[in-house]
Amino acid sequence: MVSRKDSIVIVLITVFIVTPAVLALTAYMITKNPSLRPLGITVERLTAAGQIENKSLILAVVDIGTLAKNSTNKAQYQSSLETAFARLETDVQVKFRSIPGSSEVHITYLVGESQIGPFPANRAAEGVLPATQAARLVIAQRKAVAKEQERRDRLGQNGFWNRVLD
């Protein structure tokens, strides 16, 4: 037979375990923000909610020296870079520059205000993952700034209670 003291302990444990999930589910139902859904965050839902973008901010600049004795042409560089980024589900823009008096080929990745590299052509793959991660961080930061600005605009337009409850 379960005593009154034991039943209180069972009820308290149940409340402490169930309440956070119920609150998170309620917040999800009200806001439709998939990051609040308990155990249901997926890339597809975040993309559908507009929290993840598939646009690329990555610019790969290929510096080819005029004295370079490399049989690889621009189309091969572009194809290789696009394939590498496509495997990480990211787009890249490839630009070429000619460097007079140089015999080397370097690749630099520009993401927002960041520069990753330069890498020699034989080590260009080392910068693909950092460039992709930097692009995702830039997108997330821009979305957060836009969301915060939108929230501030709403607060400025709404009355007292919206400020208190936000």
Side-chain angles (χ1 to χ4, degrees), residues 14-163:
T14 305
V15 167
F16 284 119
I17 291 174
V18 173
T19 302
V22 170
L23 290 176
L25 187 58
T26 304
Y28 166 72
M29 297 296 258
I30 292 170
T31 64
K32 301 297 183 205
N33 183 349
S35 63
L36 297 176
R37 188 171 180 216
L39 303 176
I41 300 172
T42 62
V43 173
E44 292 81 18
R45 290 188 187 268
L46 292 175
T47 303
Q51 292 185 350
I52 295 178
E53 244 180 56
N54 290 332
K55 290 186 176 180
S56 174
L57 300 173
I58 304 170
L59 176 66
V61 179
V62 182
D63 296 326
I64 301 174
T66 55
L67 304 176
K69 297 177 181 170
N70 197 346
S71 62
T72 308
N73 61 21
K74 291 180 180 181
Q76 289 173 325
Y77 281 121
Q78 183 164 355
S79 173
S80 297
L81 288 168
E82 287 174 351
T83 301
F85 280 98
R87 291 184 186 193
L88 295 173
E89 298 176 359
T90 306
D91 294 327
V92 65
Q93 296 177 4
V94 182
K95 302 290 181 186
F96 296 93
R97 290 191 299 194
S98 181
I99 307 298
S102 175
S103 63
E104 298 180 6
V105 178
H106 290 286
I107 300 172
T108 305
Y109 303 101
L110 304 174
V111 183
E113 300 295 320
S114 301
Q115 175 180 327
I116 301 168
F119 295 96
N122 60 349
R123 291 185 36 228
E126 292 178 19
V128 173
L129 185 59
T132 302
Q133 291 172 339
R136 290 179 182 154
L137 287 173
V138 167
I139 290 170
Q141 190 265 342
R142 288 181 181 175
K143 282 192 170 289
V145 168
K147 191 172 185 177
E148 178 63 19
Q149 186 60 43
E150 180 181 313
R151 187 187 71 80
R152 287 181 182 179
D153 291 343
R154 273 187 303 159
L155 286 178
Q157 296 171 357
N158 294 333
F160 171 76
W161 288 110
N162 290 333
R163 291 187 197 141

